[in-house]
Amino acid sequence: MSAQTTSKQDSSNPEAAIDPSHWQEQEQSFLRKLNEEKRRKAISQLALNLLGVLLFLLLWEATPHVIPWMNILLFPPPSDVVGTLVELVESGELLENIAVSMRRVLFGFVIAAVLGIVAGLFTGRIALVQHLSDPVLHGMRSIPAIALVPLSLLWFGIGEASKVALISWGAFFPIWLNTFTGVRDVPPVLVRSAKSLGATPYQTMFNVILPASLPFILVGLRQGIGIALIVLVAAELAGASSGVGYMVATSHQLFRVDIMFIGIATLGFLGYMVDRLFTFLQSRIFPWYSSK
Amino acid sequence: MTALIEIKNVSKIYATSDDSATWALQGVSVNIEQGEFICAIGPSGCGKTTLLNIIGGFITPTEGDALLNGNAIEGPGPDRGVVFQEYALFSWLTSRENIEFPMRLKGVSKADRRAMSDKYLEMINLTHAADRYPGELSGGMRQRVAVARALVNEPQLLLMDEPFAAVDAMTRTSLQEEVLRLWEKLKFSVLFITHNIEEAVFLSSKIIIMSPHPGRIKEIVPVDLPYPRDRTSPDFGALYAKVNEAFHT
């Protein structure tokens, strides 16, 4: 073959000498290799992730053995904690506390999202509303939600209302502020387009300004969820009779550091899962967002 | 018979970023007749975009009258379609949904909307990209969708603000031909802003040459070359030279 392709006649049109099936074979083997490579990378990545977790647990388990003055009651190794975890799961205690906490977060967050987005739309679009509400809203935003826990207990009692109110309070501000920025910075050319296409002010607001500021609103919602979880724990540490935060607080009084660890790890896990769920829903509901 | 658009002694004063005043337009008068294809050309600061914004109803003149069919222009409306330079498509809607947007505002039924968007997608040769989002389209394809969206309301006038400035030269010539095809077929009037002399000579039946600081009309050049125009013909070259000279003196 090499002799043929170097001859003058063939070099003017070299592909004529090669069977078309040759290109197909090349292409298929290329794609096969590409897929294999991708799969190998994915598997090795997952293996490394698991290995990392395993190393962490191993280090944790080994620490009390390596450091002799370490008090095992204050720093229980994973082997102890796992036993407690099984107990808590079997008795249903853990799942119930998770359910209670998540319900509080959900209600508080939904209220904050509705109020925050509406407030953001109005303050971002109407200068009068913006300037009127600016000092008050920004002043309130600077109050740490944790400072309001005692007040909330007085106003709403030790029931669900005080937790939901605190969570809505905390989550409202990032949602409002991000919505405000997004709404204010909608490119004027989009608003002009809508008007010249016959949109009324109301239609412009809901069909153009709202979707155009969605990337900002989503950032606000994501920050709001993070804050909601923080405020949840603050609300449950004081004046609650259930929930994951309550679990951590009571285990402190019972000197059960193992339960405390489980509560803390649960909070980390919940935060992580809620965030993953959020990004998953986002790519599902707003496919255009990634193609922007 | 009144002209479609009458601009009588229109001036517009602006505040610049350092709080001084500048005249974007000063004493400008011009008419747009039914079916005309007008190009406004001039260096930046000559007020050509201000003129378009006044006719579009986005801004009001400081002085003078802007009339549409004899009535004062009081805001944007579906009788005047607008195509902006770029990024004016709604990124959260597909090509088809962008084109259907004006009909959705009016509450047109889904079947009728679909029929219309099919028709316009075919007109701009983008049937294959109907379900793609603007982020997945090339610059030229995006502007074709923007033109179709501006045309579904069947406006009397199409306002185009340097619509092809951001696309490459090859795409630009094919977009120019496409706009002429639509103009001949649908018989609307056009006000087309550009800073490209060749584009103006290729497209328009009348060229408004503007000068900056303050923005004024320098000369109005009628273009009586028959369509379709041949960019390599001597007549085209002669007209190009004429506009070029008026532009630079």
Side-chain angles (χ1 to χ4, degrees):
Chain A
M1 197 180 95
S2 61
Q4 268 178 0
T5 49
T6 48
S7 79
K8 200 170 184 187
Q9 211 177 358
D10 277 330
S11 65
S12 63
N13 190 6
E15 64 263 42
I18 299 169
D19 187 10
S21 67
H22 169 78
W23 304 115
Q24 279 175 9
E25 276 167 33
Q26 287 283 311
E27 194 176 305
Q28 269 158 17
S29 90
F30 171 78
L31 288 174
R32 215 168 29 243
K33 275 182 199 148
L34 192 76
N35 275 329
E36 263 172 38
E37 183 75 8
K38 265 191 188 164
R39 209 175 48 233
R40 208 173 40 237
K41 264 189 186 157
I43 290 173
S44 75
Q45 200 184 335
L46 190 70
L48 283 173
N49 289 163
L50 288 173
L51 186 68
V53 175
L54 215 66
L55 278 174
F56 171 76
L57 292 174
L58 212 65
L59 198 69
W60 176 7
E61 184 75 44
T63 309
H65 300 286
V66 178
I67 306 172
W69 43 263
M70 190 80 112
N71 185 342
I72 243 178
L73 285 174
L74 286 176
F75 197 80
S79 49
D80 284 8
V81 176
V82 163
T84 317
L85 178 66
V86 171
E87 271 170 41
L88 287 174
V89 170
E90 276 180 348
S91 71
E93 198 181 322
L94 181 66
L95 292 180
E96 204 194 309
N97 280 325
I98 290 176
V100 167
S101 290
M102 286 294 99
R103 211 181 57 206
R104 288 167 182 161
V105 167
L106 184 71
F107 281 132
F109 176 72
V110 168
I111 292 170
V114 172
L115 294 179
I117 291 171
V118 170
L121 277 175
F122 280 102
T123 52
R125 220 55 224 178
I126 306 168
L128 177 83
V129 179
Q130 188 205 335
H131 298 310
L132 212 58
S133 63
D134 220 44
V136 175
L137 278 180
H138 279 286
M140 286 180 162
R141 186 169 75 89
S142 312
I143 302 170
I146 293 164
L148 297 172
V149 173
L151 185 67
S152 171
L153 285 174
L154 280 179
W155 281 4
F156 301 106
I158 55 161
E160 294 306 290
S162 61
K163 282 91 196 161
V164 173
L166 274 171
I167 291 166
S168 325
W169 173 275
F172 168 82
F173 292 101
I175 298 173
W176 159 61
L177 205 61
N178 280 288
T179 305
F180 167 80
T181 310
V183 164
R184 190 196 54 191
D185 295 347
V186 167
V189 73
L190 293 184
V191 178
R192 286 186 170 183
S193 293
K195 284 185 178 159
S196 78
L197 292 168
T200 62
Y202 178 82
Q203 286 173 324
T204 306
M205 187 71 121
F206 285 93
N207 293 319
V208 177
I209 291 167
L210 194 63
S213 41
L214 205 64
F216 281 85
I217 296 176
L218 290 172
V219 170
L221 291 175
R222 201 169 172 182
Q223 286 176 7
I225 289 183
I227 301 228
L229 286 165
I230 293 171
V231 178
L232 167 84
V233 178
E236 284 182 348
L237 285 177
S241 52
S242 59
V244 181
Y246 165 77
M247 207 171 93
V248 174
T250 45
S251 56
H252 164 72
Q253 279 150 20
L254 301 170
F255 203 68
R256 287 290 300 271
V257 181
D258 49 349
I259 298 182
M260 220 184 225
F261 272 22
I262 290 166
I264 291 166
T266 301
L267 289 168
F269 177 74
L270 288 178
Y272 179 71
M273 289 313 284
V274 166
D275 200 62
R276 302 290 341 157
L277 181 72
F278 188 84
T279 45
F280 170 75
L281 288 177
Q282 181 175 303
S283 64
R284 267 302 172 85
I285 303 173
F286 310 111
W288 54 269
Y289 185 41
S290 52
S291 75
K292 228 169 102 87
Chain B
M1 208 186 107
T2 54
L4 176 62
I5 297 285
E6 283 175 84
I7 299 294
K8 291 193 226 164
N9 271 315
V10 161
S11 303
K12 177 75 186 176
I13 194 163
Y14 267 124
T16 55
S17 51
D18 59 350
D19 277 348
S20 61
T22 178
W23 289 97
L25 288 176
Q26 215 176 52
V28 166
S29 296
V30 66
N31 283 2
I32 302 177
E33 307 289 344
Q34 201 69 51
E36 269 190 316
F37 198 127
I38 293 183
C39 278
I41 189 167
S44 57
C46 73
K48 53 194 195 293
T49 295
T50 306
L51 181 65
L52 180 137
N53 282 335
I54 287 173
I55 295 172
F58 302 124
I59 56 176
T60 50
T62 310
E63 208 178 49
D65 296 313
L67 309 178
L68 168 70
N69 292 318
N71 303 312
I73 293 171
E74 277 177 3
D79 44 12
R80 285 148 291 149
V82 188
V83 179
F84 296 96
Q85 196 167 354
E86 51 180 337
Y87 307 123
L89 287 182
F90 303 132
S91 57
W92 56 94
L93 302 177
T94 61
S95 309
R96 178 189 296 286
E97 289 165 341
N98 263 287
I99 295 172
E100 290 184 1
F101 181 84
M103 294 181 273
R104 224 179 59 200
L105 296 176
K106 284 189 283 188
V108 176
S109 78
K110 201 174 173 186
D112 291 350
R113 272 181 354 222
R114 175 97 194 181
M116 281 289 268
S117 58
D118 275 341
K119 183 179 134 190
Y120 278 91
L121 280 164
E122 205 192 310
M123 245 190 259
I124 56 166
N125 297 315
L126 276 184
T127 307
H128 63 283
D131 298 319
R132 286 203 232 155
Y133 290 98
E136 299 164 331
L137 300 175
S138 70
M141 289 161 106
R142 267 181 243 170
Q143 286 311 70
R144 274 143 78 194
V145 175
V147 169
R149 187 181 66 175
L151 289 177
V152 280
N153 277 327
E154 297 176 350
Q156 295 173 278
L157 175 65
L158 189 62
L159 299 165
M160 305 182 84
D161 188 4
E162 301 195 31
F164 309 146
V167 296
D168 63 87
M170 294 275 274
T171 312
R172 191 170 184 150
T173 54
S174 73
L175 286 171
Q176 289 166 355
E177 282 159 20
E178 208 152 337
V179 164
L180 279 182
R181 196 167 48 76
L182 291 168
W183 172 66
E184 282 170 341
K185 187 178 159 133
L186 302 172
K187 314 244 179 265
F188 46 84
S189 311
V190 184
L191 174 62
F192 190 108
I193 308 289
T194 181
H195 52 238
N196 183 321
I197 298 171
E198 194 208 331
E199 186 164 67
V201 176
F202 184 74
L203 291 173
S204 53
S205 54
K206 199 156 103 186
I207 300 176
I208 302 175
I209 301 168
M210 299 182 75
S211 60
H213 313 298
R216 280 181 182 155
I217 292 180
K218 199 174 185 185
E219 195 175 336
I220 296 182
V221 182
V223 185
D224 40 20
L225 300 176
Y227 296 97
R229 289 172 183 164
D230 176 3
R231 292 175 214 260
T232 59
S233 76
D235 287 346
F236 192 95
L239 214 80
Y240 182 99
K242 187 178 169 187
V243 176
N244 191 43
E245 202 191 313
F247 193 81
H248 286 113
T249 47

CSV table of all heavy atoms in Angstrom, one decimal, chain A residues 63-103:
chain,number,residue,atom,x,y,z
A,63,THR,N,-7.2,7.5,65.5
A,63,THR,CA,-6.7,8.6,66.4
A,63,THR,C,-6.7,8.3,67.9
A,63,THR,O,-5.6,8.5,68.5
A,63,THR,CB,-7.6,9.8,66.1
A,63,THR,OG1,-7.7,10.0,64.7
A,63,THR,CG2,-7.0,11.1,66.8
A,64,PRO,N,-7.7,7.7,68.5
A,64,PRO,CA,-7.7,7.5,69.9
A,64,PRO,C,-6.6,6.4,70.3
A,64,PRO,O,-6.0,6.4,71.4
A,64,PRO,CB,-9.0,6.9,70.3
A,64,PRO,CG,-9.9,7.2,69.1
A,64,PRO,CD,-9.0,7.4,67.9
A,65,HIS,N,-6.3,5.5,69.3
A,65,HIS,CA,-5.2,4.5,69.6
A,65,HIS,C,-3.8,5.2,69.5
A,65,HIS,O,-2.9,4.8,70.2
A,65,HIS,CB,-5.3,3.4,68.6
A,65,HIS,CG,-6.6,2.7,68.7
A,65,HIS,ND1,-7.0,1.8,69.7
A,65,HIS,CD2,-7.7,2.7,67.8
A,65,HIS,CE1,-8.2,1.3,69.5
A,65,HIS,NE2,-8.7,1.9,68.4
A,66,VAL,N,-3.7,6.1,68.6
A,66,VAL,CA,-2.4,6.7,68.4
A,66,VAL,C,-2.1,7.8,69.5
A,66,VAL,O,-1.0,7.9,70.0
A,66,VAL,CB,-2.3,7.4,67.0
A,66,VAL,CG1,-1.0,8.1,66.8
A,66,VAL,CG2,-2.6,6.4,65.9
A,67,ILE,N,-3.1,8.5,69.9
A,67,ILE,CA,-2.9,9.6,70.9
A,67,ILE,C,-3.5,9.0,72.2
A,67,ILE,O,-4.7,9.0,72.4
A,67,ILE,CB,-3.7,10.9,70.4
A,67,ILE,CG1,-3.2,11.3,69.0
A,67,ILE,CG2,-3.4,12.0,71.5
A,67,ILE,CD1,-3.9,12.4,68.4
A,68,PRO,N,-2.7,8.6,73.1
A,68,PRO,CA,-3.1,7.9,74.3
A,68,PRO,C,-4.0,8.7,75.2
A,68,PRO,O,-4.9,8.2,75.8
A,68,PRO,CB,-1.8,7.5,75.0
A,68,PRO,CG,-0.7,8.3,74.4
A,68,PRO,CD,-1.2,8.7,73.0
A,69,TRP,N,-3.8,10.1,75.3
A,69,TRP,CA,-4.6,10.9,76.3
A,69,TRP,C,-5.9,11.3,75.7
A,69,TRP,O,-6.7,12.0,76.3
A,69,TRP,CB,-3.8,12.1,76.7
A,69,TRP,CG,-3.1,12.8,75.6
A,69,TRP,CD1,-1.8,12.7,75.3
A,69,TRP,CD2,-3.6,13.8,74.7
A,69,TRP,NE1,-1.4,13.4,74.2
A,69,TRP,CE2,-2.6,14.1,73.8
A,69,TRP,CE3,-4.9,14.3,74.4
A,69,TRP,CZ2,-2.8,15.0,72.7
A,69,TRP,CZ3,-5.1,15.2,73.4
A,69,TRP,CH2,-4.0,15.5,72.5
A,70,MET,N,-6.3,10.8,74.5
A,70,MET,CA,-7.6,11.1,73.9
A,70,MET,C,-8.7,10.4,74.6
A,70,MET,O,-8.6,9.2,74.8
A,70,MET,CB,-7.5,10.7,72.4
A,70,MET,CG,-8.7,11.2,71.6
A,70,MET,SD,-8.4,12.9,71.2
A,70,MET,CE,-8.3,12.7,69.4
A,71,ASN,N,-9.7,11.2,75.1
A,71,ASN,CA,-10.8,10.6,75.8
A,71,ASN,C,-11.8,10.0,74.7
A,71,ASN,O,-12.4,10.8,74.0
A,71,ASN,CB,-11.5,11.6,76.6
A,71,ASN,CG,-12.6,11.0,77.5
A,71,ASN,OD1,-13.1,9.9,77.2
A,71,ASN,ND2,-13.0,11.8,78.5
A,72,ILE,N,-12.1,8.7,74.8
A,72,ILE,CA,-12.9,8.1,73.8
A,72,ILE,C,-14.4,8.5,74.0
A,72,ILE,O,-15.2,8.4,73.0
A,72,ILE,CB,-12.7,6.5,73.9
A,72,ILE,CG1,-12.2,6.0,72.6
A,72,ILE,CG2,-14.0,5.8,74.3
A,72,ILE,CD1,-11.9,4.6,72.6
A,73,LEU,N,-14.8,8.9,75.2
A,73,LEU,CA,-16.1,9.4,75.4
A,73,LEU,C,-16.4,10.7,74.7
A,73,LEU,O,-17.5,11.0,74.2
A,73,LEU,CB,-16.4,9.6,76.9
A,73,LEU,CG,-16.6,8.3,77.6
A,73,LEU,CD1,-16.8,8.5,79.1
A,73,LEU,CD2,-17.9,7.5,77.1
A,74,LEU,N,-15.3,11.5,74.6
A,74,LEU,CA,-15.5,12.8,73.9
A,74,LEU,C,-15.2,12.7,72.4
A,74,LEU,O,-15.6,13.6,71.6
A,74,LEU,CB,-14.5,13.8,74.5
A,74,LEU,CG,-14.8,14.4,75.9
A,74,LEU,CD1,-13.7,15.3,76.4
A,74,LEU,CD2,-16.1,15.1,75.8
A,75,PHE,N,-14.5,11.7,72.0
A,75,PHE,CA,-14.2,11.5,70.6
A,75,PHE,C,-14.4,10.0,70.2
A,75,PHE,O,-13.5,9.3,70.0
A,75,PHE,CB,-12.7,11.9,70.4
A,75,PHE,CG,-12.3,12.1,69.0
A,75,PHE,CD1,-12.7,13.3,68.4
A,75,PHE,CD2,-11.7,11.1,68.2
A,75,PHE,CE1,-12.3,13.5,67.0
A,75,PHE,CE2,-11.4,11.4,66.9
A,75,PHE,CZ,-11.7,12.6,66.3
A,76,PRO,N,-15.7,9.6,70.2
A,76,PRO,CA,-16.0,8.2,69.9
A,76,PRO,C,-15.6,7.8,68.5
A,76,PRO,O,-15.9,8.6,67.5
A,76,PRO,CB,-17.5,8.1,70.1
A,76,PRO,CG,-18.0,9.5,70.0
A,76,PRO,CD,-16.9,10.4,70.4
A,77,PRO,N,-15.0,6.7,68.3
A,77,PRO,CA,-14.6,6.3,66.9
A,77,PRO,C,-15.8,5.8,66.1
A,77,PRO,O,-16.8,5.5,66.7
A,77,PRO,CB,-13.6,5.1,67.2
A,77,PRO,CG,-14.0,4.6,68.6
A,77,PRO,CD,-14.5,5.7,69.3
A,78,PRO,N,-15.6,5.7,64.8
A,78,PRO,CA,-16.7,5.3,63.9
A,78,PRO,C,-17.4,4.0,64.4
A,78,PRO,O,-18.6,3.8,64.3
A,78,PRO,CB,-16.1,5.2,62.5
A,78,PRO,CG,-14.8,5.7,62.6
A,78,PRO,CD,-14.4,6.0,64.0
A,79,SER,N,-16.6,3.0,64.9
A,79,SER,CA,-17.1,1.7,65.2
A,79,SER,C,-18.2,1.9,66.3
A,79,SER,O,-19.2,1.2,66.3
A,79,SER,CB,-16.0,0.8,65.7
A,79,SER,OG,-15.2,1.4,66.6
A,80,ASP,N,-18.0,2.8,67.3
A,80,ASP,CA,-19.0,3.1,68.3
A,80,ASP,C,-20.2,3.8,67.7
A,80,ASP,O,-21.3,3.5,68.0
A,80,ASP,CB,-18.4,4.0,69.4
A,80,ASP,CG,-17.5,3.2,70.3
A,80,ASP,OD1,-17.2,2.0,70.0
A,80,ASP,OD2,-17.0,3.8,71.3
A,81,VAL,N,-19.9,4.8,66.9
A,81,VAL,CA,-21.0,5.6,66.3
A,81,VAL,C,-21.9,4.8,65.4
A,81,VAL,O,-23.1,5.0,65.5
A,81,VAL,CB,-20.4,6.8,65.5
A,81,VAL,CG1,-21.5,7.6,64.9
A,81,VAL,CG2,-19.5,7.7,66.5
A,82,VAL,N,-21.4,3.9,64.7
A,82,VAL,CA,-22.2,3.1,63.8
A,82,VAL,C,-23.2,2.3,64.6
A,82,VAL,O,-24.4,2.2,64.2
A,82,VAL,CB,-21.3,2.1,62.9
A,82,VAL,CG1,-22.1,1.0,62.3
A,82,VAL,CG2,-20.6,2.9,61.9
A,83,GLY,N,-22.8,1.7,65.7
A,83,GLY,CA,-23.8,1.0,66.6
A,83,GLY,C,-24.9,1.9,67.0
A,83,GLY,O,-26.1,1.5,66.8
A,84,THR,N,-24.6,3.1,67.4
A,84,THR,CA,-25.6,4.0,67.8
A,84,THR,C,-26.5,4.4,66.7
A,84,THR,O,-27.8,4.5,66.8
A,84,THR,CB,-25.0,5.3,68.4
A,84,THR,OG1,-23.9,4.9,69.3
A,84,THR,CG2,-26.0,6.1,69.2
A,85,LEU,N,-25.9,4.6,65.5
A,85,LEU,CA,-26.6,5.0,64.3
A,85,LEU,C,-27.7,3.9,64.0
A,85,LEU,O,-28.9,4.2,63.7
A,85,LEU,CB,-25.7,5.1,63.1
A,85,LEU,CG,-26.3,5.5,61.8
A,85,LEU,CD1,-27.0,6.9,61.8
A,85,LEU,CD2,-25.3,5.5,60.6
A,86,VAL,N,-27.3,2.6,64.0
A,86,VAL,CA,-28.2,1.5,63.8
A,86,VAL,C,-29.4,1.6,64.8
A,86,VAL,O,-30.6,1.5,64.4
A,86,VAL,CB,-27.5,0.2,63.8
A,86,VAL,CG1,-28.5,-1.0,63.7
A,86,VAL,CG2,-26.5,0.1,62.7
A,87,GLU,N,-29.1,1.8,66.0
A,87,GLU,CA,-30.1,1.9,67.0
A,87,GLU,C,-31.1,3.0,66.7
A,87,GLU,O,-32.3,2.8,66.8
A,87,GLU,CB,-29.5,2.2,68.4
A,87,GLU,CG,-29.1,1.0,69.2
A,87,GLU,CD,-28.3,1.5,70.5
A,87,GLU,OE1,-28.7,2.5,71.1
A,87,GLU,OE2,-27.3,0.8,70.7
A,88,LEU,N,-30.5,4.2,66.4
A,88,LEU,CA,-31.4,5.4,66.1
A,88,LEU,C,-32.3,5.2,64.9
A,88,LEU,O,-33.4,5.6,64.9
A,88,LEU,CB,-30.5,6.6,66.0
A,88,LEU,CG,-29.9,7.2,67.2
A,88,LEU,CD1,-29.0,8.3,66.8
A,88,LEU,CD2,-31.0,7.7,68.2
A,89,VAL,N,-31.7,4.5,63.9
A,89,VAL,CA,-32.5,4.2,62.7
A,89,VAL,C,-33.6,3.2,63.0
A,89,VAL,O,-34.7,3.4,62.6
A,89,VAL,CB,-31.6,3.7,61.5
A,89,VAL,CG1,-32.4,3.2,60.4
A,89,VAL,CG2,-30.6,4.8,61.1
A,90,GLU,N,-33.2,2.1,63.7
A,90,GLU,CA,-34.2,1.1,64.0
A,90,GLU,C,-35.4,1.6,64.9
A,90,GLU,O,-36.5,1.2,64.6
A,90,GLU,CB,-33.5,-0.1,64.7
A,90,GLU,CG,-32.9,-1.0,63.7
A,90,GLU,CD,-32.2,-2.2,64.3
A,90,GLU,OE1,-32.0,-2.2,65.6
A,90,GLU,OE2,-31.8,-3.1,63.6
A,91,SER,N,-35.0,2.5,65.8
A,91,SER,CA,-36.1,3.0,66.7
A,91,SER,C,-37.0,4.0,65.9
A,91,SER,O,-38.0,4.4,66.4
A,91,SER,CB,-35.5,3.6,67.9
A,91,SER,OG,-34.9,4.8,67.6
A,92,GLY,N,-36.5,4.5,64.8
A,92,GLY,CA,-37.2,5.5,64.0
A,92,GLY,C,-37.0,6.9,64.5
A,92,GLY,O,-37.5,7.8,63.9
A,93,GLU,N,-36.2,7.0,65.5
A,93,GLU,CA,-36.0,8.3,66.1
A,93,GLU,C,-35.3,9.3,65.1
A,93,GLU,O,-35.7,10.4,65.0
A,93,GLU,CB,-35.1,8.2,67.4
A,93,GLU,CG,-35.1,9.3,68.3
A,93,GLU,CD,-34.2,9.1,69.5
A,93,GLU,OE1,-34.2,7.9,70.0
A,93,GLU,OE2,-33.6,10.0,70.0
A,94,LEU,N,-34.3,8.8,64.5
A,94,LEU,CA,-33.5,9.6,63.6
A,94,LEU,C,-34.3,10.1,62.4
A,94,LEU,O,-34.4,11.3,62.1
A,94,LEU,CB,-32.2,8.9,63.0
A,94,LEU,CG,-31.4,9.7,62.1
A,94,LEU,CD1,-30.7,10.8,62.8
A,94,LEU,CD2,-30.3,8.8,61.5
A,95,LEU,N,-35.0,9.2,61.8
A,95,LEU,CA,-35.8,9.5,60.6
A,95,LEU,C,-36.9,10.5,61.0
A,95,LEU,O,-37.3,11.4,60.2
A,95,LEU,CB,-36.4,8.3,59.9
A,95,LEU,CG,-35.4,7.4,59.3
A,95,LEU,CD1,-36.0,6.2,58.6
A,95,LEU,CD2,-34.6,8.1,58.2
A,96,GLU,N,-37.5,10.3,62.1
A,96,GLU,CA,-38.6,11.2,62.5
A,96,GLU,C,-38.0,12.6,62.7
A,96,GLU,O,-38.7,13.6,62.3
A,96,GLU,CB,-39.2,10.7,63.8
A,96,GLU,CG,-40.7,11.2,64.0
A,96,GLU,CD,-41.2,11.0,65.4
A,96,GLU,OE1,-41.1,9.9,65.9
A,96,GLU,OE2,-41.6,12.0,66.0
A,97,ASN,N,-36.9,12.7,63.4
A,97,ASN,CA,-36.3,14.0,63.6
A,97,ASN,C,-35.9,14.7,62.3
A,97,ASN,O,-36.1,15.9,62.1
A,97,ASN,CB,-35.0,13.9,64.5
A,97,ASN,CG,-35.4,13.8,65.9
A,97,ASN,OD1,-36.4,14.4,66.4
A,97,ASN,ND2,-34.6,13.0,66.7
A,98,ILE,N,-35.4,13.9,61.3
A,98,ILE,CA,-35.1,14.4,60.0
A,98,ILE,C,-36.4,15.0,59.3
A,98,ILE,O,-36.4,16.1,58.8
A,98,ILE,CB,-34.5,13.4,59.1
A,98,ILE,CG1,-33.1,13.0,59.6
A,98,ILE,CG2,-34.4,13.8,57.6
A,98,ILE,CD1,-32.4,11.9,58.8
A,99,ALA,N,-37.5,14.2,59.4
A,99,ALA,CA,-38.7,14.6,58.8
A,99,ALA,C,-39.2,15.9,59.4
A,99,ALA,O,-39.6,16.8,58.6
A,99,ALA,CB,-39.8,13.5,59.0
A,100,VAL,N,-39.2,16.0,60.7
A,100,VAL,CA,-39.7,17.2,61.4
A,100,VAL,C,-38.8,18.4,60.9
A,100,VAL,O,-39.4,19.5,60.5
A,100,VAL,CB,-39.6,17.0,62.9
A,100,VAL,CG1,-39.7,18.4,63.6
A,100,VAL,CG2,-40.6,16.1,63.4
A,101,SER,N,-37.5,18.3,60.9
A,101,SER,CA,-36.6,19.4,60.5
A,101,SER,C,-36.9,19.8,59.1
A,101,SER,O,-36.9,20.9,58.7
A,101,SER,CB,-35.2,19.0,60.7
A,101,SER,OG,-34.9,18.9,62.1
A,102,MET,N,-37.0,18.8,58.2
A,102,MET,CA,-37.1,19.1,56.8
A,102,MET,C,-38.5,19.8,56.5
A,102,MET,O,-38.5,20.6,55.6
A,102,MET,CB,-37.0,17.8,55.9
A,102,MET,CG,-35.6,17.2,55.8
A,102,MET,SD,-34.5,18.3,54.8
A,102,MET,CE,-33.7,19.2,56.1
A,103,ARG,N,-39.5,19.4,57.3
A,103,ARG,CA,-40.8,20.1,57.1
A,103,ARG,C,-40.7,21.5,57.4
A,103,ARG,O,-41.2,22.4,56.7
A,103,ARG,CB,-41.8,19.4,57.9
A,103,ARG,CG,-43.2,19.5,57.2
A,103,ARG,CD,-44.3,18.8,58.0
A,103,ARG,NE,-44.4,19.4,59.3
A,103,ARG,CZ,-44.9,18.7,60.4
A,103,ARG,NH1,-45.2,17.5,60.3
A,103,ARG,NH2,-44.9,19.3,61.6
